[in-house]
Amino acid sequence: MLFVSIVIPVFNDAKRLKLCLNALENQTYPKHLYEVIVVDNGSNKEQNISGLVTQFEQVRITDESSPGSYAARNKGISIAKGEIVAFTDADCIPTINWIENGVKNLLHTPNCGLVAGKIDIFFKDPNHLSVVELYESIMALPQMEFLKKHNYGATANVFTLKSVIDKVGFFDANLKSSGDVEWGQRVAAYGYGQIYAEDTCVAHPARHSFQDLYKKTVRYAGGSYDLQIKRSKSAWERNKKFIISVIQDLIPPLIFTCNVFLDSRLKNFRQKSQVSLVMFFIRYISVWEKMRLKFGGYSTRE
């Protein structure tokens, strides 16, 4: 069995980090074969992240002053002892056999570059979902789709080998979002295999309010915009990609709306209409943020 290093970036989220660390303290994987590295990415002193970490036997802490979860993950990787490196987020709750199954899937798959595990979405009150939670229930973090269609796994739940990181490189620390997209696609470009693992699962809270969803949308739009710039070879190509992305956001997502009204997970016309309206909200906020960045703004972590 190989030693595993689990890297968790955190920014002002001590309450949910404690739940995550509790879950990682009680894994089926042998305790002497894994470590948890919490990377404090500039949390407020009142959060007392270092004090929280001392409560857990398996956990050590470091910090990264450069803002952004990918810069923080890189810091964790740089001090990781493990031959296997796993990533999750401070607001995630891994299942009791998360490490065991992640390692099994990684090692039993020939030439495996990454394992993208399942991400279950949970809610404050499953019997009374907010409009935003309703949207998240069918749209948030479709890990299998990320892998099959786009060759990456969301870093809320990814396992890889340290040797793979040594070959393909670290995350792009300049990206505030979409760094997992860029890195995962780099892994695929190097010829490594990628698999989705249903049995390697973490639970992730749904966004509850429009404020939460707004922050997420702005961050994702910024990451997408920054990644476009990174991948554009000329100003002409960059401007072309920008125009296409804005048009795609502005055109009413009719296909999405049709699919929503056919989705059996939504119980009635009211729910289907609400989810469709949330999609419009997201699209137009995304355009607004891309326009802000185009005219001199900078992407933010939240």
Side-chain angles (χ1 to χ4, degrees), residues 78-101:
S78 71
I79 65 170
K81 300 175 183 177
E83 297 164 272
I84 294 173
V85 181
F87 302 100
T88 191
D89 291 336
D91 58 357
C92 291
I93 304 174
T95 55
I96 192 169
N97 56 1
W98 179 66
I99 301 175
E100 180 181 355
N101 288 346

Side-chain angles (χ1 to χ4, degrees), residues 220-238:
Y220 279 22
S224 175
Y225 179 86
D226 291 342
L227 189 55
Q228 280 185 1
I229 290 178
K230 175 184 174 68
R231 290 177 168 175
S232 298
K233 298 178 181 179
S234 66
W236 181 87
E237 183 180 355
R238 183 165 61 249

Side-chain angles (χ1 to χ4, degrees), residues 53-115:
V53 164
T54 61
Q55 301 174 30
F56 296 91
E57 177 186 350
Q58 302 296 114
V59 188
R60 57 187 176 125
I61 189 168
T62 186
D63 60 83
E64 174 53 59
S65 58
S66 298
S69 63
Y70 300 107
R73 290 185 183 98
N74 286 347
K75 180 62 176 290
I77 293 168
S78 71
I79 65 170
K81 300 175 183 177
E83 297 164 272
I84 294 173
V85 181
F87 302 100
T88 191
D89 291 336
D91 58 357
C92 291
I93 304 174
T95 55
I96 192 169
N97 56 1
W98 179 66
I99 301 175
E100 180 181 355
N101 288 346
V103 170
K104 176 192 67 178
N105 285 305
L106 183 66
L107 297 183
H108 290 181
T109 304
N111 193 43
C112 191
L114 68 84
V115 173

Side-chain angles (χ1 to χ4, degrees), residues 8-14 17 38-43 49 72 90 301:
I8 307 174
V10 61
F11 174 66
N12 288 341
D13 203 359
L17 175 62
V38 170
V39 187
D40 188 351
N41 197 211
S43 300
I49 301 296
R301 70 161 79 184

Side-chain angles (χ1 to χ4, degrees), residues 153-213:
T155 38
N157 191 358
V158 164
F159 283 74
T160 190
L161 292 162
K162 187 64 160 50
S163 60
V164 171
I165 297 173
D166 291 339
K167 187 168 184 179
V168 308
F170 285 20
F171 294 99
D172 185 337
N174 294 316
L175 295 174
K176 302 299 189 299
S177 183
S178 297
D180 44 9
V181 181
E182 192 276 335
W183 186 80
Q185 291 174 353
R186 208 183 328 141
V187 170
Y190 271 78
Y192 287 107
Q194 302 177 329
I195 66 162
Y196 171 73
E198 190 87 8
D199 64 356
T200 306
C201 186
V202 303
H204 187 289
R207 272 82 182 175
H208 182 266
S209 68
F210 276 99
Q211 182 181 13
D212 293 337
L213 190 60

Side-chain angles (χ1 to χ4, degrees), residues 210 213-214 217 276-286:
F210 276 99
L213 190 60
Y214 174 85
T217 303
S276 296
L277 288 173
V278 173
M279 170 55 79
F280 281 93
F281 169 81
I282 289 172
R283 289 297 185 100
Y284 289 105
I285 293 299
S286 179

